[in-house]
Amino acid sequence: MLLLRDLWFDDFVGFPTENPAVYELYWSPSQILARAHPNVLRAQAFLMSHWRSADNSALISTSNPLSYADRLRIRAPGDAKFALGPHIDGGSCERWEEDGYGRGAVYDAIMAGNWEKYDPWEASCRLPVKSDLYNGPGGCSMFRMFQGWLAMSEVEGGEGHLMVCPMIKEATAYFLLRPFFSPGRAVDGSAYLHPDNWTLENPTSSVLQGAVPANGQELNPSLHPHLGLEDTMIHIPRVRPGDYVAWHCDTIHAVDKVHGGASDSSVMYIPACPLTEANAEYLARQRETFAEGLPAPDFPASDEGESQHRGRLTPEYVMKNISMEAQRAMGLVPFPAETKGVLEQDRRVMRRANEILGFA
């Protein structure tokens, strides 16, 4: 593997500090080539095709995935420090705020009491969203339809593996409405969970269970008892090197508290991001950091980053050794807005992206 062979980990930052599992690396040859692989790009386009847009004039294209430079994880056997409990990325308090997800009325159906009408696969309402109002360390400036990673090792449940709660619609409705209810006298068991034990909070408070500014949304059995997280969080199947795993951006997910396997649990984080105006603006900034070998814009700044690393891939090398689709995903060449047969909705957003990226 190029990543290991080139010793990119020498003297490099990772966390947790005392026993790193996630490394602040974005531009190693392996990461760049993995994001650019045609199978990854095809998988991302296929996944994003399951989203829909209620607004036909919305500037969004799911057939043109963009490259988002993220980090990688190498979790050693026995590790218990990189223990991510149930959570949702993409902000926390922002989901209740008018200037956050309220800008697109993403969850209005839930807030109006019509949770059954909420559509987690509607894309156009998410375009104006501000999911990082508080500049959190794990904030993401791109609209990620799916979070995802590419497996670098063979791993199954109990070995530092991914767990998800597959009830996207129901779980979202529950945790968003949870702050408006409070329990009665019963304190445990079925009596505690019974509907008769819960009433509308009066007077209301500012408490948003598991939500803290500049952090992701945390969930646990104490604050969100009706989710039954002990039973509803399930492991994904065994993965092997090269398997691509993705989950909806509102999915509750976690990893095993303890890595009980015999070898490392390693992944490259590679989300699926559509072509939008905001995503193109981020891509333009990310393109500059790639050329300079510096951390991607969403991540902690560094004076040198990977600029002095032996074997770093230059833009010139990449332009000659990855496909045209992958070059577009990195913002290195224009999108084919004027090509015959391109859908009109795709054409409009590609033209706008070319302007943002300096190609028009």
Side-chain angles (χ1 to χ4, degrees), residues 185-230:
R185 294 182 177 181
V187 295
D188 55 30
S190 60
Y192 178 71
L193 297 177
H194 196 279
D196 292 343
N197 191 51
W198 291 78
T199 58
L200 285 171
E201 188 178 56
N202 186 22
T204 58
S205 71
S206 60
V207 175
L208 300 173
Q209 284 79 6
V212 178
N215 287 274
Q217 173 69 44
E218 303 287 340
L219 300 104
N220 64 57
S222 175
L223 297 178
H224 306 92
H226 296 87
L227 285 179
L229 294 171
E230 302 94 333

Side-chain angles (χ1 to χ4, degrees), residues 34-61:
R35 296 179 202 126
H37 198 285
N39 289 351
V40 170
L41 295 173
R42 279 196 293 268
Q44 291 175 331
F46 169 75
L47 286 165
M48 293 192 296
S49 71
H50 289 76
W51 284 71
R52 46 192 163 262
S53 180
D55 180 2
N56 291 330
S57 66
L59 293 180
I60 184 169
S61 171

Side-chain angles (χ1 to χ4, degrees), residues 284-295:
R285 301 195 303 273
Q286 181 179 268
R287 182 177 58 185
E288 295 178 7
T289 63
F290 164 58
E292 298 171 0
L294 299 177

